[in-house]
Amino acid sequence: MKEISQYSREHVMLKASPNQVLYDGFFKIEEYVFEHALFEGGVSEPIRREILERGHAVAVLPYDPVSDQVLLIEQIRIGALATKDTPWLLECIAGMAEGSKDLEAVVRKEAQEEAGLDLGELHYMRSYLSSPGGTTERLYLYLAQVNLRDYQGGTFGLPEEGEDIKTHVLSFEDAMSRLETEEIDNAATVISLQWLALNKSKLSFK
């Protein structure tokens, strides 16, 4: 496949190293000062951008191929209050990698914490940049084979982290209907369900 972009990271010149830390609380914000190559030649003027540095994350969609069901979690996401009637969202299980290179181990830990779920075989789906104009975060998405026919469900999460999580087992058809009506509208869950819809017939489970 032919490359589209003519530029790489060598064509960005950072003017400060390390970046200036503007805020360091629940999240960290750094100021990037940089110049970059221009499409018509030459170099841009110095540009300043505040960038959210929250690390990278994982998300997993538990799927039972026998019953054709998925598990989603429900929890409050206060940022959704600006554009939705309810900030309680249906989501994939997710969590921060916190610098770990063993992303599958992070996935399994989060599934235990957020759903009391032991995951079977994992399938890597894809990764994506969550909002590269404002954060460095990349999310890594997985599909997990599980048995949801005997799953009891309940409420989960770590109270010390402010988590209050309820689990829901849905038929794949029901989940896709909720995607279609935009009840499910957060990126990781939208992408994961669409990936499963595109690839379900090609998957091989042990």
Side-chain angles (χ1 to χ4, degrees):
M1 186 181 298
K2 183 180 178 181
E3 290 286 343
I4 292 178
S5 178
Q6 67 194 79
Y7 294 134
S8 65
R9 62 188 307 133
E10 285 73 28
H11 296 93
V12 177
M13 290 68 74
L14 295 175
K15 308 303 289 184
S17 183
N19 299 317
Q20 181 183 357
V21 177
L22 303 179
Y23 177 79
D24 195 358
F26 185 74
F27 295 125
K28 183 165 70 171
I29 298 176
E30 295 184 0
E31 182 182 58
Y32 281 60
V33 183
F34 63 97
E35 298 172 352
H36 66 85
L38 297 172
F39 289 122
E40 294 188 357
V43 176
S44 71
E45 294 295 319
I47 297 171
R48 296 177 182 272
R49 292 288 185 268
E50 294 80 31
I51 298 294
L52 179 65
E53 296 281 359
R54 66 189 304 256
H56 305 306
V58 298
V60 59
L61 177 64
Y63 174 63
D64 186 332
V66 176
S67 62
D68 198 27
Q69 293 174 308
V70 297
L71 180 141
L72 297 176
I73 62 171
E74 180 183 5
Q75 63 180 320
I76 190 168
R77 296 297 196 186
I78 198 61
L81 198 58
T83 57
K84 286 180 70 84
D85 291 334
T86 174
W88 277 267
L89 305 185
L90 288 174
E91 304 178 327
C92 291
I93 295 167
M96 303 307 298
E98 296 179 340
S100 175
K101 301 296 185 184
D102 190 348
L103 298 181
E104 292 193 1
V106 177
V107 164
R108 294 183 185 279
K109 176 179 72 71
E110 293 295 333
Q112 268 294 329
E113 290 179 359
E114 297 191 352
L117 197 60
D118 291 320
L119 302 180
E121 184 181 2
L122 293 177
H123 295 260
Y124 173 72
M125 292 191 284
R126 63 168 303 113
S127 71
Y128 70 95
L129 293 165
S130 60
S131 184
T135 179
T136 57
E137 180 186 44
R138 180 177 285 274
L139 270 80
Y140 297 84
L141 305 180
Y142 290 83
L143 182 77
Q145 181 180 359
V146 291
N147 179 358
L148 294 175
R149 286 148 283 156
D150 303 320
Y151 179 72
Q152 298 301 309
T155 56
F156 301 90
L158 301 178
E160 61 271 23
E161 294 184 6
E163 293 180 335
D164 180 45
I165 296 170
K166 185 177 182 180
T167 58
H168 298 274
V169 175
L170 307 174
S171 70
F172 177 70
E173 182 180 4
D174 186 11
M176 293 303 294
S177 294
R178 294 173 191 274
L179 177 65
E180 187 70 24
T181 63
E182 296 188 5
E183 177 184 354
I184 296 173
D185 60 356
N186 57 89
T189 312
V190 170
I191 294 169
S192 295
L193 286 171
Q194 290 178 333
W195 186 95
L196 180 56
L198 288 170
N199 293 279
K200 190 166 61 159
S201 63
K202 297 180 283 187
L203 290 171
S204 175
F205 295 100
K206 296 177 181 178

